[in-house]
Amino acid sequence: MLLQVENLTVCYDTALVLNSLSVSVDEGELVSLVGPNGAGKSTLLRAITGLVRWEKSTMKGTRGGDITIEGTVHFAGERIDRLSAHDIVKRGLVHCPERRRPFREMTVAENLKAGGYLCGDRKEFHTRLEMVYQLFPVLKDRGNQISGKLSGGEQQMLAIARALMLQPKLLCIDEPSTGLAAKLKQELFERIQEIKASGIAMLLVEQDVSMAFKLASRNYVMSHGKVISEGTSEELLKDEAIRKTYLGL
Ligand SMILES: Nc1ncnc2c1ncn2[C@@H]1O[C@H](COP(=O)(O)OP(=O)(O)OP(=O)(O)O)[C@@H](O)[C@H]1O
Ligand SMILES: [Mg+2]
């Protein structure tokens, strides 16, 4: 397994947001994470990538209390749950956050350069940049445009492109299709398939369940901080209770 999360618990003050949850992602695998609002999907991605502080934290939750985290995360054969977000990124576990727009004041090219900050030498940087431009030609055309002036869909593509500049082994993407029109959603869908075909594993949180289920080989359904069901798309779609209660289908 590339990623193995075991018995992960996250408490914001006294609110139990992740309740002894276990998930895994294999090399090159695309796994989806679906479930109602507030289920803890974003918290899971943020905890895996070191953005929710481990141990007692000085970072205050919205309720003004402490954050408690328990459990283990292994990535590429190494335990990473005590590492800083920066050290986790360096190992190839990259987070593409929800509703997070790229740095709006910077141009597209500057954003991609910022994404490539871990890249040692110029040549390697340009190889990656070419790869990203091949995947998202629109970003090449808009290189000198201020990111804040891109359309919502283009900004979403840029956010993913910037994450790809970090050369992930596993990309955690949080709700990439939110707010996109059908045509752009379809385009994003195709780009995600291409990223998968290039061998990058993904853990995808997606509100559009039918899109998620078409992309993923395996899915987790989350509710109230727990995985309440897991399986292939066909298996989950056969389950009437899951369909109605958790997938809104
Ligand atoms: N910093 C925080 N302090 C306190 N509570 C928090 C904090 N961040 C998240 N929560 C709570 O944790 C719960 C899970 O939130 P999370 O954002 O992980 O859910 P989600 O499944 O991603 O929901 P959505 O589908 O709406 O994005 C929510 O009840 C939320 O209010
Ligand atoms: Mg979320």
Side-chain angles (χ1 to χ4, degrees):
M1 278 294 163
L2 180 61
L3 176 78
Q4 188 104 46
V5 178
E6 279 169 308
N7 304 317
L8 185 62
T9 293
V10 172
C11 278
Y12 286 114
D13 199 4
T14 54
L16 189 58
V17 173
L18 296 182
N19 187 356
S20 193
L21 176 147
S22 299
V23 300
S24 63
V25 180
D26 216 342
E27 302 267 354
E29 193 184 20
L30 198 165
V31 174
S32 95
L33 201 58
V34 297
N37 294 121
K41 306 178 298 293
S42 298
T43 303
L44 175 60
L45 296 193
R46 290 174 50 242
I48 293 169
T49 50
L51 298 172
V52 176
R53 282 264 165 258
W54 296 90
E55 300 162 340
K56 281 238 169 206
S57 173
T58 54
M59 188 173 103
K60 301 290 185 198
T62 47
R63 291 170 189 82
D66 288 314
I67 299 170
T68 330
I69 307 172
E70 283 160 23
T72 60
V73 182
H74 285 86
F75 182 68
E78 218 186 331
R79 191 165 167 187
I80 60 158
D81 51 73
R82 305 276 148 173
L83 299 182
S84 69
H86 177 69
D87 283 332
I88 293 172
V89 167
K90 277 206 290 198
R91 282 164 176 76
L93 177 43
V94 176
H95 182 242
C96 187
E98 156 187 53
R99 282 183 283 270
R100 173 77 64 82
R101 297 303 180 207
F103 306 127
R104 301 180 66 88
E105 305 304 321
M106 285 162 54
T107 66
V108 169
E110 284 165 350
N111 257 295
L112 293 175
K113 199 171 171 194
Y117 76 97
L118 284 175
C119 206
D121 65 295
R122 259 187 104 71
K123 211 177 144 208
E124 168 65 25
F125 173 80
H126 283 285
T127 311
R128 281 193 213 177
L129 195 61
E130 269 319 303
M131 185 273 282
V132 161
Y133 279 153
Q134 237 169 36
L135 198 58
F136 302 109
V138 65
L139 297 181
K140 192 166 189 175
D141 302 339
R142 305 278 152 90
N144 294 320
Q145 188 165 329
I146 296 295
S147 302
K149 300 243 162 76
L150 294 173
S151 75
E154 288 162 354
Q155 289 190 24
Q156 193 56 62
M157 307 274 177
L158 177 58
I160 296 173
R162 197 176 52 178
L164 285 174
M165 288 299 291
L166 293 162
Q167 235 181 8
K169 290 194 184 87
L170 173 64
L171 186 57
C172 295
I173 314 184
D174 203 347
E175 302 204 349
S177 83
T178 305
L180 298 189
K183 191 166 165 265
L184 275 175
K185 239 187 195 182
Q186 182 57 34
E187 196 185 325
L188 178 76
F189 180 94
E190 285 162 18
R191 292 299 90 80
I192 291 175
Q193 277 177 320
E194 286 174 47
I195 295 168
K196 186 190 172 191
S198 78
I200 297 171
M202 274 174 277
L203 183 55
L204 174 70
V205 171
E206 182 48 62
Q207 270 186 351
D208 185 333
V209 174
S210 52
M211 171 168 152
F213 278 18
K214 272 182 210 144
L215 287 166
S217 50
R218 219 150 49 74
N219 314 275
Y220 292 100
V221 184
M222 262 181 82
S223 177
H224 297 291
K226 280 178 178 273
V227 170
I228 50 123
S229 191
E230 149 184 19
T232 64
S233 307
E234 298 82 66
E235 282 164 353
L236 291 175
L237 290 171
K238 260 188 238 154
D239 190 324
E240 206 51 37
I242 294 283
R243 279 175 67 107
K244 285 208 175 116
T245 316
Y246 299 104
L247 306 180
L249 297 171

